[in-house]
């Protein structure tokens, strides 16, 4: 997945502009993003402050890392069980 060129503060600022009355189309044009990107950000970050957005990203990254570790450990366990069964 490609990293965003927008910081959390920039995303929050873009989302806040619509709440202040600017149209979505105008904001997207000025920011150089598609409307689908805006709505994806709104769905994911709606109502969050930049520091909360940063923390959410950290938690998502940690969760992905832990899932990969669990998958590796599960595979290791299955391999060891297979070896033990063959020796019996």
């Amino acid at each position: 997945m490609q990293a965003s060129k927008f910081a959390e503060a920039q995303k929050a600022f873009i989302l806040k502009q619509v709440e202040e009355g600017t149209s979505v189309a105008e904001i997207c044009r000025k920011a150089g993003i598609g409307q689908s990107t805006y709505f994806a950000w709104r769905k994911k970050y709606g109502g969050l402050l930049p520091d909360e957005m940063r923390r959410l990203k950290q938690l998502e990254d940690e969760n992905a890392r832990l899932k990969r570790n669990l998958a590796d450990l599960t595979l290791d366990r299955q391999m060891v069980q297979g070896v033990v069964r063959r020796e019996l």
Side-chain angles (χ1 to χ4, degrees):
M1 187 171 159
Q2 181 181 359
S4 176
K5 65 179 182 177
F6 293 95
E8 287 82 12
Q10 291 172 314
K11 291 176 185 177
F13 176 73
I14 291 169
L15 294 173
K16 187 78 170 166
Q17 287 180 321
V18 170
E19 295 173 10
E20 295 172 353
T22 310
S23 72
V24 173
E26 184 178 344
I27 291 169
C28 292
R29 184 179 49 77
K30 287 181 181 177
I33 61 172
Q35 288 187 13
S36 60
T37 300
Y38 168 81
F39 289 112
W41 287 353
R42 188 177 79 177
K43 182 178 180 182
K44 186 171 183 178
Y45 302 118
L48 296 179
L49 299 173
D51 58 333
E52 293 170 330
M53 293 167 72
R54 198 172 306 111
R55 180 68 179 143
L56 176 62
K57 176 67 175 147
Q58 289 172 345
L59 291 172
E60 288 173 341
D61 291 345
E62 181 181 8
N63 190 28
R65 182 184 57 81
L66 291 172
K67 284 182 178 182
R68 282 191 304 273
N69 288 348
L70 177 62
D72 290 343
L73 290 172
T74 302
L75 182 60
D76 291 347
R77 181 176 163 258
Q78 289 173 350
M79 289 171 40
V80 168
Q81 285 178 341
V83 169
V84 169
R85 285 185 189 136
R86 280 190 229 134
E87 292 179 0
L88 296 177

